[in-house]
Each structure stands twice: as C-alpha cells, then as structure tokens.
Coordinates of all heavy atoms in Angstrom, one line a residue:
L1 N 7.5 13.6 -10.2 CA 7.7 12.2 -9.8 C 8.4 12.2 -8.4 O 9.4 12.9 -8.3 CB 8.4 11.4 -10.8 CG 8.7 10.0 -10.5 CD1 7.4 9.2 -10.5 CD2 9.6 9.4 -11.5
A2 N 7.9 11.4 -7.5 CA 8.6 11.2 -6.2 C 8.6 9.7 -5.8 O 7.6 9.0 -6.1 CB 7.8 12.0 -5.1
V3 N 9.7 9.3 -5.3 CA 9.8 7.9 -4.9 C 10.2 7.9 -3.4 O 11.1 8.6 -3.0 CB 10.9 7.2 -5.7 CG1 11.1 5.8 -5.2 CG2 10.5 7.2 -7.2
V4 N 9.5 7.0 -2.6 CA 9.8 6.9 -1.2 C 10.3 5.4 -1.1 O 9.6 4.5 -1.4 CB 8.6 7.1 -0.3 CG1 8.9 6.9 1.1 CG2 8.1 8.5 -0.5
Y5 N 11.5 5.3 -0.5 CA 12.1 4.0 -0.3 C 12.7 3.9 1.1 O 13.1 4.9 1.7 CB 13.0 3.6 -1.4 CG 14.3 4.3 -1.4 CD1 15.5 3.8 -0.8 CD2 14.4 5.5 -2.1 CE1 16.6 4.5 -0.8 CE2 15.6 6.2 -2.1 CZ 16.7 5.7 -1.5 OH 17.9 6.4 -1.5
E6 N 12.9 2.7 1.5 CA 13.4 2.4 2.9 C 14.9 2.3 2.7 O 15.4 1.5 1.8 CB 12.8 1.2 3.4 CG 13.3 0.8 4.8 CD 12.6 -0.5 5.3 OE1 12.1 -1.3 4.5 OE2 12.6 -0.7 6.5
T7 N 15.7 2.9 3.6 CA 17.1 2.8 3.6 C 17.5 1.9 4.9 O 16.8 2.0 5.9 CB 17.8 4.1 3.7 OG1 17.4 4.8 4.8 CG2 17.5 4.9 2.5
P8 N 18.6 1.2 4.8 CA 18.9 0.3 5.9 C 19.5 1.1 7.1 O 19.5 0.7 8.2 CB 19.9 -0.7 5.4 CG 20.5 0.0 4.2 CD 19.4 0.9 3.6
H9 N 20.1 2.3 6.8 CA 20.7 3.1 7.8 C 20.2 4.6 7.7 O 19.9 5.1 6.6 CB 22.2 3.2 7.6 CG 22.9 1.9 7.5 ND1 23.0 1.0 8.5 CD2 23.4 1.2 6.4 CE1 23.6 -0.1 8.1 NE2 23.8 0.0 6.8
P10 N 20.1 5.2 8.9 CA 19.7 6.6 8.8 C 20.7 7.5 8.2 O 21.9 7.1 8.2 CB 19.5 7.0 10.3 CG 20.2 6.0 11.1 CD 20.3 4.8 10.2
P11 N 20.4 8.6 7.5 CA 21.4 9.4 6.8 C 22.4 10.0 7.8 O 23.5 10.3 7.3 CB 20.5 10.5 6.2 CG 19.2 10.5 6.8 CD 19.0 9.1 7.4
A12 N 22.1 10.2 9.0 CA 23.1 10.8 10.0 C 24.1 9.7 10.5 O 25.0 10.1 11.3 CB 22.4 11.4 11.1
A13 N 23.9 8.5 10.2 CA 24.8 7.4 10.7 C 26.2 7.6 10.2 O 26.4 7.9 9.0 CB 24.3 6.0 10.3
A14 N 27.2 7.4 11.1 CA 28.6 7.6 10.7 C 29.2 6.3 10.3 O 30.4 6.1 10.5 CB 29.3 8.3 11.8
L15 N 28.4 5.4 9.8 CA 28.9 4.1 9.4 C 29.5 4.1 8.0 O 29.0 4.9 7.1 CB 27.8 3.0 9.4 CG 27.1 2.8 10.7 CD1 25.8 1.9 10.5 CD2 28.0 2.2 11.7
Y16 N 30.5 3.4 7.7 CA 31.1 3.4 6.4 C 30.1 3.0 5.3 O 30.0 3.6 4.3 CB 32.3 2.4 6.4 CG 32.9 2.3 5.0 CD1 33.8 3.3 4.5 CD2 32.7 1.2 4.2 CE1 34.3 3.2 3.3 CE2 33.3 1.1 3.0 CZ 34.1 2.1 2.5 OH 34.6 2.0 1.2
R17 N 29.3 2.0 5.6 CA 28.3 1.5 4.6 C 27.3 2.6 4.3 O 26.8 2.7 3.2 CB 27.6 0.3 5.2 CG 26.7 -0.4 4.2 CD 26.3 -1.8 4.7 NE 25.3 -2.4 3.8 CZ 25.6 -3.0 2.7 NH1 26.8 -3.1 2.2 NH2 24.6 -3.5 2.0
A18 N 27.0 3.5 5.3 CA 26.0 4.5 5.0 C 26.6 5.7 4.3 O 25.9 6.4 3.6 CB 25.4 5.0 6.4
R19 N 27.9 5.9 4.4 CA 28.6 7.1 3.8 C 29.2 6.8 2.5 O 29.3 7.7 1.7 CB 29.7 7.6 4.8 CG 29.2 8.1 6.1 CD 28.6 9.4 5.9 NE 28.1 9.9 7.2 CZ 27.5 11.1 7.3 NH1 27.3 11.8 6.2 NH2 27.0 11.5 8.4
C20 N 29.6 5.6 2.2 CA 30.3 5.3 1.0 C 29.4 5.4 -0.2 O 28.3 4.7 -0.3 CB 30.9 3.9 1.0 SG 31.8 3.5 -0.5
P21 N 29.7 6.2 -1.2 CA 28.8 6.4 -2.4 C 28.7 5.1 -3.2 O 27.7 4.9 -4.0 CB 29.4 7.6 -3.2 CG 30.8 7.6 -2.8 CD 30.9 7.1 -1.4
H22 N 29.7 4.3 -3.2 CA 29.7 3.0 -4.0 C 28.8 1.9 -3.3 O 28.5 1.0 -4.0 CB 31.1 2.5 -4.1 CG 32.0 3.5 -4.8 ND1 31.9 3.9 -6.1 CD2 33.0 4.3 -4.3 CE1 32.8 4.8 -6.4 NE2 33.5 5.0 -5.3
L23 N 28.4 2.1 -2.1 CA 27.6 1.1 -1.4 C 26.1 1.5 -1.3 O 25.3 0.9 -0.7 CB 28.2 0.8 0.0 CG 29.5 0.1 0.0 CD1 30.0 -0.1 1.4 CD2 29.5 -1.2 -0.8
R24 N 25.8 2.7 -1.8 CA 24.4 3.2 -1.8 C 23.5 2.3 -2.7 O 24.0 1.6 -3.6 CB 24.3 4.6 -2.3 CG 25.0 5.5 -1.2 CD 24.6 6.9 -1.4 NE 25.2 7.7 -0.4 CZ 25.8 8.9 -0.6 NH1 25.8 9.4 -1.7 NH2 26.4 9.5 0.4
P25 N 22.2 2.3 -2.4 CA 21.3 1.4 -3.2 C 21.4 1.7 -4.7 O 21.4 2.8 -5.1 CB 19.9 1.7 -2.7 CG 20.2 2.3 -1.4 CD 21.5 3.0 -1.4
R26 N 21.4 0.6 -5.5 CA 21.4 0.7 -6.9 C 19.9 0.6 -7.4 O 19.1 0.2 -6.6 CB 22.2 -0.4 -7.6 CG 23.7 -0.5 -7.0 CD 24.5 0.4 -7.9 NE 25.9 0.2 -7.5 CZ 26.7 1.2 -7.2 NH1 26.3 2.5 -7.2 NH2 28.0 1.0 -6.8
W27 N 19.7 0.8 -8.7 CA 18.3 0.7 -9.2 C 17.8 -0.7 -9.0 O 16.6 -0.9 -8.8 CB 18.3 1.1 -10.7 CG 18.4 2.5 -10.8 CD1 19.4 3.3 -11.3 CD2 17.3 3.5 -10.6 NE1 19.1 4.6 -11.3 CE2 17.8 4.8 -10.9 CE3 16.0 3.4 -10.2 CZ2 17.0 5.9 -10.8 CZ3 15.2 4.5 -10.0 CH2 15.8 5.8 -10.3
R28 N 18.7 -1.7 -9.2 CA 18.2 -3.1 -9.0 C 17.8 -3.5 -7.6 O 17.1 -4.4 -7.3 CB 19.2 -4.1 -9.6 CG 20.5 -4.1 -8.7 CD 21.5 -5.2 -9.3 NE 22.7 -5.2 -8.5 CZ 23.8 -4.5 -8.7 NH1 23.9 -3.8 -9.9 NH2 24.8 -4.6 -7.9
D29 N 18.4 -2.7 -6.6 CA 18.0 -2.9 -5.2 C 16.8 -2.2 -4.8 O 16.3 -2.4 -3.7 CB 19.2 -2.4 -4.3 CG 20.5 -3.2 -4.6 OD1 20.4 -4.3 -5.0 OD2 21.6 -2.5 -4.4
L30 N 16.3 -1.3 -5.6 CA 15.1 -0.5 -5.2 C 13.8 -1.2 -5.1 O 13.1 -1.0 -4.1 CB 15.0 0.7 -6.2 CG 14.0 1.7 -5.9 CD1 14.3 2.4 -4.6 CD2 13.9 2.7 -7.0
P31 N 13.4 -2.1 -6.0 CA 12.1 -2.7 -5.9 C 11.7 -3.3 -4.5 O 10.6 -3.1 -4.0 CB 12.0 -3.8 -7.0 CG 13.0 -3.2 -8.0 CD 14.1 -2.5 -7.2
P32 N 12.6 -4.1 -3.8 CA 12.1 -4.6 -2.5 C 12.0 -3.5 -1.4 O 11.3 -3.7 -0.4 CB 13.2 -5.6 -2.1 CG 14.2 -5.6 -3.2 CD 13.8 -4.7 -4.2
R33 N 12.7 -2.4 -1.6 CA 12.7 -1.3 -0.6 C 11.7 -0.2 -0.9 O 11.5 0.6 -0.1 CB 14.1 -0.6 -0.6 CG 15.1 -1.5 -0.1 CD 16.4 -0.8 -0.1 NE 17.5 -1.7 0.5 CZ 18.7 -1.3 0.6 NH1 19.1 -0.1 0.2 NH2 19.6 -2.1 1.1
L34 N 11.0 -0.3 -2.1 CA 10.1 0.7 -2.5 C 8.9 0.7 -1.6 O 8.2 -0.3 -1.4 CB 9.7 0.4 -4.0 CG 8.9 1.5 -4.7 CD1 9.7 2.7 -4.8 CD2 8.4 1.0 -6.0
L35 N 8.5 1.9 -1.1 CA 7.4 2.1 -0.2 C 6.2 2.7 -1.0 O 5.1 2.3 -0.8 CB 7.7 2.9 1.0 CG 8.8 2.4 1.9 CD1 9.1 3.4 3.0 CD2 8.3 1.1 2.5
D36 N 6.5 3.7 -1.8 CA 5.4 4.4 -2.5 C 6.0 5.2 -3.7 O 7.1 5.6 -3.7 CB 4.6 5.3 -1.6 CG 3.2 5.5 -2.1 OD1 2.9 5.1 -3.2 OD2 2.4 6.1 -1.4
V37 N 5.1 5.5 -4.7 CA 5.5 6.3 -5.8 C 4.4 7.4 -5.9 O 3.2 7.1 -5.9 CB 5.5 5.5 -7.1 CG1 5.8 6.4 -8.3 CG2 6.6 4.4 -7.0
G38 N 4.9 8.6 -6.0 CA 4.0 9.8 -6.2 C 4.2 10.4 -7.5 O 5.3 10.6 -8.0
F39 N 3.0 10.7 -8.2 CA 3.1 11.4 -9.5 C 1.8 12.2 -9.6 O 0.7 11.7 -9.4 CB 3.2 10.3 -10.6 CG 3.2 10.9 -12.0 CD1 4.4 11.5 -12.4 CD2 2.1 10.9 -12.8 CE1 4.5 12.0 -13.7 CE2 2.2 11.4 -14.1 CZ 3.4 12.0 -14.5
G40 N 2.0 13.4 -10.1 CA 0.8 14.3 -10.3 C 0.0 14.6 -9.1 O -1.2 14.7 -9.2
G41 N 0.7 14.7 -8.0 CA 0.0 15.1 -6.7 C -0.7 13.9 -6.1 O -1.6 14.1 -5.2
R42 N -0.4 12.7 -6.5 CA -1.1 11.5 -5.9 C -0.1 10.5 -5.5 O 0.9 10.2 -6.3 CB -2.0 10.9 -7.0 CG -2.7 9.7 -6.5 CD -3.7 9.2 -7.5 NE -4.2 7.9 -7.0 CZ -4.7 7.0 -7.8 NH1 -4.9 7.2 -9.1 NH2 -5.1 5.9 -7.3
W43 N -0.2 9.9 -4.3 CA 0.6 8.8 -3.9 C -0.2 7.5 -4.2 O -1.3 7.3 -3.7 CB 0.9 8.9 -2.4 CG 1.8 10.0 -2.1 CD1 1.5 11.2 -1.6 CD2 3.2 10.0 -2.2 NE1 2.6 12.0 -1.4 CE2 3.7 11.2 -1.8 CE3 4.2 9.0 -2.7 CZ2 5.1 11.6 -1.9 CZ3 5.5 9.4 -2.7 CH2 5.9 10.6 -2.3
W44 N 0.4 6.6 -5.0 CA -0.4 5.4 -5.5 C -0.6 4.4 -4.4 O -1.8 4.0 -4.2 CB 0.4 4.8 -6.6 CG 0.5 5.8 -7.8 CD1 1.5 6.6 -8.1 CD2 -0.6 6.1 -8.7 NE1 1.2 7.4 -9.1 CE2 -0.1 7.1 -9.5 CE3 -1.8 5.6 -8.9 CZ2 -0.8 7.6 -10.6 CZ3 -2.6 6.1 -10.0 CH2 -2.1 7.1 -10.8
V45 N 0.3 4.0 -3.6 CA 0.1 2.9 -2.6 C -0.6 3.5 -1.4 O -1.6 2.9 -1.0 CB 1.5 2.3 -2.2 CG1 1.3 1.3 -1.1 CG2 2.2 1.7 -3.4
L46 N -0.2 4.6 -1.0 CA -0.8 5.2 0.2 C -2.3 5.6 -0.1 O -3.2 5.3 0.7 CB -0.1 6.5 0.6 CG -0.6 7.2 1.9 CD1 -0.4 6.3 3.1 CD2 0.2 8.5 2.0
G47 N -2.6 6.1 -1.3 CA -4.0 6.4 -1.7 C -4.9 5.1 -1.7 O -6.0 5.2 -1.2
A48 N -4.3 4.0 -2.2 CA -5.1 2.8 -2.2 C -5.3 2.2 -0.8 O -6.4 1.7 -0.5 CB -4.4 1.8 -3.1
R49 N -4.3 2.3 0.1 CA -4.5 1.8 1.4 C -5.4 2.6 2.3 O -6.0 2.1 3.2 CB -3.1 1.6 2.0 CG -2.3 0.5 1.4 CD -1.1 0.2 2.1 NE -0.3 -0.9 1.4 CZ 0.9 -1.2 1.7 NH1 1.6 -0.5 2.6 NH2 1.5 -2.2 1.1
L50 N -5.5 3.9 2.1 CA -6.3 4.7 2.9 C -7.7 4.9 2.4 O -8.5 5.6 3.1 CB -5.6 6.1 3.1 CG -4.4 6.1 3.9 CD1 -3.8 7.5 4.0 CD2 -4.6 5.6 5.3
R51 N -8.0 4.3 1.3 CA -9.4 4.4 0.8 C -10.4 3.7 1.7 O -10.2 2.5 1.9 CB -9.5 3.9 -0.6 CG -10.8 4.1 -1.3 CD -10.8 3.6 -2.7 NE -9.9 4.4 -3.5 CZ -8.9 3.9 -4.2 NH1 -8.7 2.6 -4.3 NH2 -8.1 4.7 -4.9
D52 N -11.3 4.4 2.2 CA -12.3 3.8 3.1 C -11.7 3.1 4.3 O -12.1 2.1 4.8 CB -13.2 2.8 2.4 CG -14.0 3.4 1.3 OD1 -14.4 4.6 1.5 OD2 -14.4 2.8 0.3
C53 N -10.6 3.7 4.9 CA -9.9 3.0 6.0 C -10.6 3.1 7.3 O -10.4 2.4 8.2 CB -8.5 3.6 6.1 SG -8.5 5.4 6.7
D54 N -11.6 4.1 7.4 CA -12.3 4.2 8.7 C -13.7 3.6 8.6 O -14.5 3.8 9.6 CB -12.4 5.7 9.0 CG -13.2 6.5 8.0 OD1 -13.4 6.0 6.8 OD2 -13.6 7.6 8.3
V55 N -14.0 2.8 7.6 CA -15.3 2.2 7.5 C -15.2 0.7 8.1 O -14.4 -0.1 7.7 CB -15.8 2.1 6.1 CG1 -17.1 1.4 6.0 CG2 -15.9 3.5 5.5
N56 N -16.1 0.5 9.1 CA -16.2 -0.8 9.7 C -17.5 -1.5 9.1 O -18.6 -1.2 9.6 CB -16.2 -0.7 11.2 CG -16.2 -2.1 11.9 OD1 -16.2 -3.1 11.2 ND2 -16.1 -2.1 13.2
E57 N -17.3 -2.4 8.1 CA -18.5 -3.0 7.5 C -19.3 -3.8 8.4 O -20.6 -3.8 8.3 CB -18.0 -3.8 6.3 CG -17.3 -3.0 5.2 CD -18.2 -2.1 4.5 OE1 -19.4 -2.3 4.5 OE2 -17.7 -1.1 4.0
E58 N -18.7 -4.5 9.4 CA -19.5 -5.3 10.3 C -20.4 -4.5 11.2 O -21.5 -5.0 11.6 CB -18.6 -6.2 11.1 CG -17.8 -7.2 10.3 CD -17.0 -8.1 11.2 OE1 -17.2 -8.2 12.4 OE2 -16.1 -8.7 10.7
E59 N -20.0 -3.3 11.5 CA -20.8 -2.4 12.3 C -22.2 -2.1 11.7 O -23.2 -1.9 12.3 CB -20.1 -1.1 12.6 CG -20.7 -0.2 13.6 CD -19.9 1.0 13.9 OE1 -18.7 1.0 13.5 OE2 -20.4 1.9 14.5
F60 N -22.2 -2.0 10.3 CA -23.4 -1.6 9.6 C -24.2 -2.7 9.0 O -25.2 -2.5 8.3 CB -23.0 -0.6 8.5 CG -22.4 0.6 9.1 CD1 -21.0 0.8 8.9 CD2 -23.1 1.6 9.7 CE1 -20.4 2.0 9.5 CE2 -22.5 2.7 10.3 CZ -21.2 2.9 10.1
R61 N -23.8 -4.0 9.2 CA -24.5 -5.1 8.6 C -26.0 -5.2 9.1 O -26.8 -5.7 8.4 CB -23.8 -6.4 8.8 CG -22.6 -6.5 7.9 CD -22.2 -7.9 7.8 NE -21.0 -7.9 6.9 CZ -19.9 -8.6 7.1 NH1 -19.8 -9.3 8.2 NH2 -18.9 -8.5 6.2
A62 N -26.2 -4.9 10.3 CA -27.6 -5.0 10.9 C -28.5 -3.9 10.4 O -29.8 -4.1 10.6 CB -27.5 -5.0 12.4
L63 N -28.1 -2.9 9.8 CA -28.9 -1.8 9.3 C -29.7 -2.3 8.1 O -29.2 -3.1 7.3 CB -28.1 -0.6 9.0 CG -27.5 0.1 10.1 CD1 -26.6 1.3 9.6 CD2 -28.5 0.7 11.1
P64 N -30.9 -1.7 7.8 CA -31.6 -2.0 6.6 C -30.8 -1.5 5.4 O -30.0 -0.6 5.5 CB -32.9 -1.3 6.7 CG -33.0 -0.8 8.1 CD -31.7 -0.9 8.7
Q65 N -31.1 -2.0 4.2 CA -30.3 -1.7 3.0 C -30.4 -0.2 2.7 O -29.4 0.4 2.3 CB -30.8 -2.5 1.8 CG -30.0 -2.2 0.6 CD -28.6 -2.7 0.7 OE1 -28.3 -3.6 1.4 NE2 -27.7 -2.0 -0.1
R66 N -31.5 0.5 2.9 CA -31.7 1.9 2.6 C -30.8 2.8 3.5 O -30.4 3.9 3.1 CB -33.1 2.3 2.7 CG -33.7 2.2 4.1 CD -35.2 2.6 4.1 NE -35.7 2.4 5.5 CZ -35.6 3.3 6.5 NH1 -34.9 4.4 6.3 NH2 -36.1 3.0 7.6
L67 N -30.4 2.3 4.7 CA -29.6 3.1 5.6 C -28.1 2.8 5.4 O -27.3 3.5 5.9 CB -30.0 2.8 7.0 CG -31.4 3.3 7.5 CD1 -31.7 2.8 8.9 CD2 -31.5 4.7 7.3
R68 N -27.8 1.8 4.7 CA -26.3 1.5 4.4 C -25.7 2.4 3.4 O -24.5 2.5 3.3 CB -26.2 0.0 4.0 CG -26.4 -1.0 5.0 CD -26.1 -2.4 4.5 NE -26.9 -3.4 5.2 CZ -26.9 -4.6 4.8 NH1 -26.2 -5.0 3.8 NH2 -27.7 -5.4 5.5
R69 N -26.6 3.0 2.6 CA -26.1 3.8 1.5 C -25.9 5.3 2.0 O -26.7 5.8 2.7 CB -27.1 3.8 0.4 CG -26.6 4.2 -0.9 CD -27.7 4.0 -2.0 NE -29.0 4.0 -1.3 CZ -30.1 3.6 -1.8 NH1 -30.1 3.0 -3.0 NH2 -31.2 3.6 -1.1
L70 N -24.8 5.9 1.6 CA -24.5 7.2 2.0 C -24.4 8.1 0.8 O -23.7 7.8 -0.1 CB -23.1 7.3 2.8 CG -22.7 8.6 3.3 CD1 -23.7 9.0 4.5 CD2 -21.3 8.5 3.9
E71 N -25.2 9.2 0.8 CA -25.2 10.1 -0.3 C -24.6 11.4 0.1 O -24.4 11.7 1.2 CB -26.7 10.3 -0.8 CG -27.3 9.0 -1.3 CD -28.7 9.1 -1.6 OE1 -29.2 10.3 -1.6 OE2 -29.4 8.1 -1.9
K72 N -24.3 12.2 -1.0 CA -23.6 13.5 -0.7 C -24.4 14.4 0.2 O -23.9 15.1 1.0 CB -23.2 14.1 -2.0 CG -22.4 15.3 -1.9 CD -21.9 15.9 -3.2 CE -21.0 17.0 -3.0 NZ -20.4 17.5 -4.2
R73 N -25.7 14.4 0.0 CA -26.6 15.3 0.8 C -26.6 14.9 2.3 O -27.0 15.7 3.1 CB -28.0 15.3 0.2 CG -28.7 14.0 0.3 CD -30.1 14.0 -0.4 NE -30.7 12.7 -0.4 CZ -31.4 12.2 0.5 NH1 -31.7 12.9 1.6 NH2 -31.9 11.0 0.3
H74 N -26.2 13.7 2.6 CA -26.1 13.3 4.0 C -24.9 13.9 4.8 O -24.8 13.9 6.0 CB -26.1 11.8 4.2 CG -27.3 11.1 3.7 ND1 -27.3 10.0 2.9 CD2 -28.6 11.5 3.8 CE1 -28.5 9.6 2.6 NE2 -29.3 10.5 3.2
L75 N -23.9 14.3 4.0 CA -22.7 14.8 4.6 C -22.9 16.3 4.9 O -23.3 17.1 4.1 CB -21.5 14.7 3.6 CG -21.2 13.3 3.2 CD1 -20.1 13.3 2.1 CD2 -20.8 12.4 4.4
R76 N -22.5 16.7 6.2 CA -22.7 18.0 6.6 C -21.3 18.7 6.9 O -21.3 19.8 7.4 CB -23.6 18.1 7.8 CG -25.0 17.6 7.5 CD -25.9 17.8 8.7 NE -27.2 17.3 8.4 CZ -27.6 16.1 8.8 NH1 -26.9 15.3 9.5 NH2 -28.8 15.7 8.4
S77 N -20.2 18.1 6.7 CA -18.9 18.6 7.1 C -18.5 19.8 6.2 O -17.6 20.5 6.6 CB -17.9 17.6 7.1 OG -17.7 17.0 5.8
H78 N -19.1 19.9 5.0 CA -18.7 21.0 4.1 C -19.3 22.3 4.5 O -18.9 23.3 3.9 CB -19.1 20.6 2.7 CG -20.6 20.5 2.5 ND1 -21.3 19.4 2.9 CD2 -21.4 21.4 2.0 CE1 -22.6 19.7 2.6 NE2 -22.7 20.8 2.0
R79 N -20.2 22.4 5.4 CA -20.8 23.7 5.8 C -20.0 24.4 6.8 O -19.4 23.8 7.7 CB -22.2 23.4 6.3 CG -23.1 22.9 5.3 CD -24.5 22.7 5.8 NE -25.3 22.0 4.8 CZ -26.4 21.3 5.1 NH1 -26.8 21.2 6.3 NH2 -27.0 20.8 4.1

C-alpha cells in the first residue's frame, strides 16, 4: 500500500511548522491532501486519469465507422 499526499512545506524547510512532529498532518487532515493511492502495483487515480489520455475523439469523427475501431492486429509496436 502506498499513499501520495501533498504537504504544505517541503521536507527541507527549516520552518518550525515543517519540523515540529506535533504539527504534522493527522489522519483527519489527509483526505483533502490525498493525491493518489497505490495498491498491488496499481495507482488508482493516476491509472484512471491516464486511460486513453492521448485519444482525440474529434479528430476521428469524420472517419467511417469501420475505421474508428482499433483491433490488436492493427498494432505493430510489439514487433
């Protein structure tokens, strides 16, 4: 299990608020700062946001229906 969250200060900051162990984020402060959760080799938020991130649907709307579909045999990057 891995959790990625945003901190208000970089770890190298010499500020009292960044160094004091009593002022570090508590569990109740974590949800608004949570960026992603990883489990079993998968990042949940990042995986969902990057799914088909390079596909521009408007670019392919003018194509006939038979050309809009992509099958595994059309991919040649595995060779």
Side-chain angles (χ1 to χ4, degrees):
L1 177 67
V3 177
V4 178
Y5 68 95
E6 182 180 21
T7 60
H9 307 288
L15 301 171
Y16 176 75
R17 185 166 174 82
R19 296 286 180 181
C20 180
H22 301 291
L23 296 176
R24 290 196 179 139
R26 307 271 188 232
W27 284 105
R28 68 177 180 263
D29 301 331
L30 187 62
R33 294 180 178 180
L34 190 65
L35 298 176
D36 203 352
V37 176
F39 181 74
R42 179 178 173 200
W43 291 100
W44 296 97
V45 176
L46 185 63
R49 289 185 181 170
L50 290 180
R51 187 174 297 125
D52 297 329
C53 66
D54 61 343
V55 177
N56 185 356
E57 297 294 335
E58 291 183 22
E59 185 177 350
F60 298 106
R61 282 200 182 135
L63 292 175
Q65 184 63 29
R66 64 182 175 81
L67 294 177
R68 288 188 209 171
R69 202 175 21 198
L70 184 65
E71 298 175 8
K72 189 173 182 175
R73 63 184 173 88
H74 295 138
L75 301 174
R76 295 187 183 100
S77 62
H78 66 281
R79 293 182 189 158

